[in-house]
Amino acid sequence: MKGDAYTVVGAGAIGGTLAHALAAAGHPVTVVDTDADHVAAIRAGGLTILRGGERDSVRLDATTPDGFRGPPPRRVLLSVKAQATEAAMRWIAPRLAPDGYVVSVQNGFNEELIARHVGADRTVAAFVNIFADVVGPGVVRDGGPGAFVIGEPGGAPVSERVRDLVADLRAWGPARVSGNVEGYLWAKAAFGAMLSATALADAPMADLIDRHRAAMYALAAEVYAAADAEGVRLEAFDAFDAPAFRPGDPAARDAACDRLTAWLRTQPKDRSGIWRDLAVRRRPVEVTTHYAPVVERSLRAGLDTPVLRAVLAGLRELERDPSGMSEARLDALDALAAAGTAPAADGGPGALPTGPALTGAQAVAVRDWLADHRDAMAADLAAYTSLESSSDDKARLTACLGWVRDWLDAALGAPASEEVRERDCAGDILIRRYAGTSPSTAAPVLLVGHYDTVWSTGTLQEWPYRREGDRISGPGVFDMKAGLVQAVWALRALTALGLPVPACTLLLNGDEETGSRASSDDIVAEARTSRAALVFEASADGAVKTTRKGVGLFSLTVRGEEAHAGLDPARGASAVNEMARQVLALEALAAPAAGTTVNVGVLRGGTRPNVTAGEAVAHLDVRVATGAERDRIDAALAALAPVDTRTVLKLDGGWNRPVFERTEGVGQLFAVARACAAPLGLDLRETAVGGASDGNFILAAGTPVLDGLGAVGGGAHARDEHVTLSGMVERSALAAGVLAAFARHPGAQ
């Protein structure tokens, strides 16, 4: 072997094509992929590239992430789907060599996320337009050379490492350096939006683009407007003449579209990878993830993206049922584009704000007022924490809720109305409605929290509330008593400073930690009458939570036939042996790249060592990031069958929380919150988490949610549970800004 070593994480269409080229040129290459069958095929027969009727295989190292045993990677080409970037970076970051770097050879805008894990100095930006597909385990069909541009992120001067990378990657094709990779990425976002729209129907890309030019031009215009707002200079690539697709010169635009469709008809791949993901692989598509920054930046600039949003909504529908592909969907896009307008984001009584209402000076004034009252905030949290509220102690839950009601009266005054919905075997539900500061035709904003904790009664005796400087610890302070304190003080700050407050509904339940079984129906009912929900669960290291997994809790029972294990071993049918086979099958359902985990956490079976086991029971926890994965798991669980036909399987349980997928509404709420955070000196981040909350129920009811607005700290459900008082001040100020944004809504005036 000769040349520098490369680690390619994600050996699909792009990664497989580049890995093959590098290995064929003599570079030591290791591919890391979560698809065990793909990895096994590469190990057995090499990585194969199809070009026309020719097959070309090359030997290289291949492994799953769990099986990786190599030295720390130095040059990493990251080519996973956009939605898998977070999981991939969690794997890469602790293994990356100190002088190593990660190159984003992906679709979408992923450099910022990569840099959060390894630093901007170890992140390399790239634009790649490779027409390729994985057509079987170990086999990639290469559609021929396309554009490949590499540079430093943020338009920094081209470095020596970039030049070295490009020299190596010319083994594949016409790779080159640029100081404006961002211009290519935004241009591809416009081109990619057009290709994404073609996946709504089952027909060649070129034909659909040609027949539906109104929609295609509108998509390009929406992306261009966001790029212009970011100050990006667009670059042409391959047959996509990005500047010519601007709306100013219709003749030039039509000519550019003619050239593009003519070029597409020469390509061996006539349908997009998005179409293949939906129609062939039946898996979630990545565009709903990698267009989130486009939608978000448009919102920040006060721009609307109705056609792009319609495309993304259509793709989400097809993830669940790809048989719904139809050219009628593109006809509808043409009509939307021809209308030229769409309802403004804040144009109705149920709509969302598009930006902050408070000026920068007002936002700072709110924070300063809260900082002046930090000791009072801490005192409220101390009193609240001193009331134990274990989910399984009904008497303590009742006492705690009584204190909360009195405290709310003192802090916010009497509500417009109040309901306490009693529950026999769980904490009661408190619903309070506040009118806001002005007459409103808008639906209220739902503020959600829970007052139960995981901590057993008596914990306070050995672990009391404690404040040490900026750090506050105690059972339940992080999850989530500080969150409610912050929400209340946000409302107090707005009122004290004479700033607008929207109509709000405050809902607190006492069984969130045990699955909200007694309160989920009430939560959903309130969500359906609210225009948005703010969930004051704890933050994730300061980030709000815009994606949460759905949670399934299942139990599998195997019934066999008992017999004497020594005297008559052939007679018995062992439930334990059968369960062992089933556990392996269950765990094989996991799909880390798609965010799906399957954990068999409890397993028991049999009665004595000398008796063939007659029964075995397994309890499993399943987490999924998309509705499509939930459906796949449902189908797989329904299809479970015994290997030993003398045994019988019985599956119980179900989905405790629906999936919380980042929707357009969630993205819009995050954009507003991020804008509200900026005057406070906060660079608000968003993240996806594996845990669930009541926000899952709310979003499933169709109401946009911003989750994780609560405390900054850590140690949820652990003895080091803590929050910071400075974080309480900052997050309360942030919540005040978001609430005021709702009060500015035209329907609320």
Side-chain angles (χ1 to χ4, degrees), residues 450 479-480 512 535-539 545 548 693 707-711:
H450 64 89
D479 186 13
M480 58 156 283
E512 194 275 344
V535 179
F536 285 84
E537 288 279 1
S539 70
K545 301 165 183 177
R548 286 184 180 272
S693 79
D707 203 341
L709 271 175

Side-chain angles (χ1 to χ4, degrees), residues 541-553:
D541 193 25
V544 293
K545 301 165 183 177
T546 55
T547 301
R548 286 184 180 272
K549 292 184 180 181
V551 180
L553 302 175

Side-chain angles (χ1 to χ4, degrees), residues 308-541:
L308 177 59
R309 289 189 285 109
V311 170
L312 299 181
L315 293 174
R316 291 189 192 100
E317 291 178 17
L318 294 177
E319 285 180 335
R320 300 181 67 85
D321 183 12
S323 68
M325 286 182 177
S326 169
E327 195 163 348
R329 291 179 178 271
L330 283 96
D331 292 334
L333 293 181
D334 287 337
L336 181 60
T341 59
D346 60 349
L352 304 178
T354 57
L358 303 184
T359 66
Q362 288 172 327
V364 171
V366 168
R367 183 194 59 198
D368 291 346
W369 186 90
L370 289 163
D372 290 341
H373 292 80
R374 70 175 62 212
D375 289 338
M377 293 177 71
D380 282 350
L381 181 57
Y384 189 13
T385 307
S386 70
L387 295 157
E388 292 187 298
S389 52
S390 174
S391 300
D392 60 3
D393 191 330
K394 173 66 175 175
R396 296 297 180 107
L397 288 167
T398 300
C400 181
L401 187 58
W403 178 89
V404 167
R405 293 173 66 196
D406 291 341
W407 170 62
L408 290 173
D409 284 342
L412 301 177
S417 67
E418 179 189 76
E419 298 174 61
V420 178
R421 298 180 182 173
E422 297 182 355
R423 294 292 181 268
D424 293 334
C425 299
D428 297 339
I429 304 163
L430 175 66
I431 300 174
R432 284 196 164 202
R433 307 184 196 281
Y434 296 92
T437 54
S438 59
S440 175
T441 60
V445 182
L446 182 61
L447 312 183
V448 180
H450 64 89
Y451 62 95
D452 64 318
T453 75
V454 299
W455 298 103
S456 300
T457 300
T459 302
L460 273 172
Q461 294 177 9
E462 56 191 65
W463 180 31
Y465 171 95
R466 177 173 298 172
R467 176 181 172 187
E468 297 175 316
D470 192 45
R471 179 187 170 103
I472 295 173
S473 61
V477 292
F478 184 62
D479 186 13
M480 58 156 283
K481 293 191 173 183
L484 177 59
V485 173
Q486 291 168 198
V488 169
W489 277 90
L491 292 168
R492 290 190 66 177
L494 291 173
T495 301
L497 296 175
L499 298 171
V501 180
C504 297
T505 299
L506 175 64
L507 185 152
L508 301 176
N509 66 322
D511 68 335
E512 194 275 344
E513 297 291 4
T514 54
S516 301
R517 290 178 175 87
S519 58
S520 59
D521 288 346
D522 295 84
I523 292 168
V524 168
E526 289 301 323
R528 286 174 174 160
T529 62
S530 304
R531 54 179 164 150
L534 308 180
V535 179
F536 285 84
E537 288 279 1
S539 70
D541 193 25

